[in-house]
Amino acid sequence: MATGTLIGSATSVEQGEPITFTYTTPQSSVTPENRVGLYPDPGNGPVGPPTRWEHTPHANGTVSFSTGSLPPGDYVAFSLANDGSARLAEPARFTVRAVAQIPPPTFLGAFGRSGRGPVQFSSPAGLTVDARGQIWVADTGNDRVQAFTRDGCLVRVLAGRFKAPQAVAVDRAGNVYVADTGNNRVVQYSWWGGFSREYGAGELANPRGVAIDTAGRLLVSDTGHQRVARFDTLTGKALTDITEKVSSPQGIVSDGNGGVWIVHSGRSASGKVAVVHYDADGKVLGSIGGDRRSESGGLANPAGVALNAGGDAFVTVPDHGWVAQFRTTGPYRTEFGTAGPGALSFPLGIAVDAQGRIFVADTGNDRVVHFGVGV
């Protein structure tokens, strides 16, 4: 007779949203191999292998599942003893709803071409949009950073100190932070272009992303050390790293509410995570995109991430030449940049301005592409 409990966080979720189960197990039945398994409903079983499962090795706790790989329909969750058949609690039922697809954002234009001159690029990587609407581009192959209006008019060039820079961020005061990847450091410039400070020299390895969070801290995807390093921008001192579930961190962006989203490319092959959301203390809040095949909205070796004010996340997928759009709660919405004049080749950096316009570093085509606001 089942004497434990199993309670789901919802009875209906959109495909891609997480669902969490709270469980209790009698102490006499606790083993490391107890589990919660998800099965298609009707749930007279469990019959056959579960669609998804997680261990429940304690007397009480929670387990969470992403529903991105579950087809729409009805499901039942069972709390099962270590042999996988005896029930430890009454089952919990829930429904996965299909997500309505939306039209992709519209191609609006592009600027740049291959070369070393002004408004020319060589494998541009990361980019960002500052508070004035200027687009800053890490012109990686040319060892410089260029800033433009959104129409592609050159505003400023930073050069002379970099080796293959791959990311750039700008704080609210206009200070510019460049991931000087080839020199394993981050360099800060003032709003008028003067050198201010360097961070992480001798401590970083292959930094691939930079961002400024709402507390004014500098965050660096220290890819070679499998962490996100944090620095005090007033003193330059290192702060506590983000390390939880970090695997080959790439692009990084602040969500404006104290949290941060980090692209993890190292676990994409195992389908565990792709883009992970952290709170201000570096604790995991959730993730998107990691449990769906790339052809249907998932992510393979993602690179950059950007957010809009409407609750959408945009993630570049260079291996497939597109941008995947998700709700920040998890559901997949659409993909774009796959055809026509806006077709992308190995896109890396991505940024969204205050009006919701989307800018993508079209790395393989040595240009920046501009897309309109999605519905």
Side-chain angles (χ1 to χ4, degrees):
M1 179 179 178
T3 56
T5 62
L6 183 68
I7 301 173
S9 58
T11 58
S12 180
V13 295
E14 283 189 310
Q15 187 182 38
E17 286 185 320
I19 186 166
T20 299
F21 296 93
T22 301
Y23 69 89
T24 65
T25 304
Q27 190 63 51
S28 60
S29 300
V30 171
T31 77
E33 296 302 318
N34 289 349
R35 65 191 63 184
V36 168
L38 306 185
Y39 296 80
D41 202 8
N44 299 320
V47 177
T51 303
R52 301 282 301 279
W53 60 271
E54 293 287 346
H55 282 121
T56 53
H58 307 295
N60 56 76
T62 62
V63 289
S64 293
F65 300 87
S66 171
T67 61
S69 62
L70 299 181
D74 295 326
Y75 293 85
V76 60
F78 287 102
S79 178
L80 302 172
N82 60 353
D83 63 1
S85 59
R87 298 187 191 182
L88 297 171
E90 290 300 313
R93 288 176 166 80
F94 66 99
T95 298
V96 175
R97 308 189 309 274
V99 180
Q101 298 301 292
I102 63 169
T106 304
F107 169 75
L108 295 180
F111 61 85
R113 58 188 177 87
S114 299
R116 300 190 63 84
V119 201
Q120 295 179 345
F121 299 111
S122 175
S123 300
L127 54 74
T128 192
V129 181
D130 68 18
R132 299 169 62 186
Q134 297 177 148
I135 300 100
W136 294 78
V137 184
D139 187 7
T140 307
N142 287 325
D143 296 328
R144 65 185 179 183
V145 172
Q146 298 188 78
F148 305 88
T149 68
R150 74 167 185 266
D151 298 319
C153 295
L154 184 64
V155 175
R156 178 167 294 161
V157 177
L158 302 178
R161 291 179 176 267
F162 307 126
K163 182 179 179 181
Q166 293 201 23
V168 58
V170 182
D171 66 20
R172 283 176 287 188
N175 297 300
V176 182
Y177 303 82
V178 181
D180 187 11
T181 309
N183 288 319
N184 293 315
R185 62 177 184 168
V186 173
V187 182
Q188 178 185 342
Y189 286 81
S190 65
W191 63 269
W192 50 269
F195 173 80
S196 297
R197 177 184 285 134
E198 69 175 8
Y199 300 84
E203 302 171 4
L204 301 174
N206 195 25
R208 303 288 294 274
V210 288
I212 303 295
D213 68 11
T214 52
R217 295 173 295 195
L218 170 66
L219 288 78
V220 185
S221 292
D222 187 9
T223 308
H225 291 141
Q226 303 295 325
R227 63 172 182 164
V228 170
R230 296 192 284 191
F231 297 89
D232 186 323
T233 55
L234 296 178
T235 65
K237 293 183 178 179
L239 303 172
T240 305
D241 297 335
I242 297 175
T243 58
E244 184 177 345
K245 290 190 175 181
V246 173
S247 182
S248 295
Q250 308 290 317
I252 182 170
V253 66
S254 170
D255 66 8
N257 296 311
V260 63
W261 294 75
I262 303 169
V263 176
H264 296 189
S265 69
R267 296 191 179 190
S268 60
S270 66
K272 295 296 184 183
V273 295
V275 182
V276 181
H277 185 199
Y278 294 83
D279 66 15
D281 296 321
K283 300 299 181 182
V284 172
L285 296 175
S287 64
I288 59 173
D291 64 346
R292 296 188 58 156
R293 293 176 296 114
S294 295
E295 293 80 3
S296 60
L299 304 176
N301 298 320
V305 59
L307 309 173
N308 69 10
D312 291 315
F314 303 90
V315 186
T316 56
V317 188
D319 287 358
H320 295 285
W322 63 47
V323 177
Q325 181 176 346
F326 296 84
R327 290 181 183 155
T328 51
T329 54
Y332 161 74
R333 304 198 77 184
T334 190
E335 289 163 356
F336 58 95
T338 59
L344 304 171
S345 173
F346 208 78
L348 291 177
I350 188 166
V352 177
D353 71 9
Q355 287 71 44
R357 294 171 295 222
I358 305 157
F359 297 87
V360 182
D362 188 11
T363 308
N365 289 321
D366 289 329
R367 63 177 184 167
V368 173
V369 180
H370 178 194
F371 294 90
V373 183
V375 176

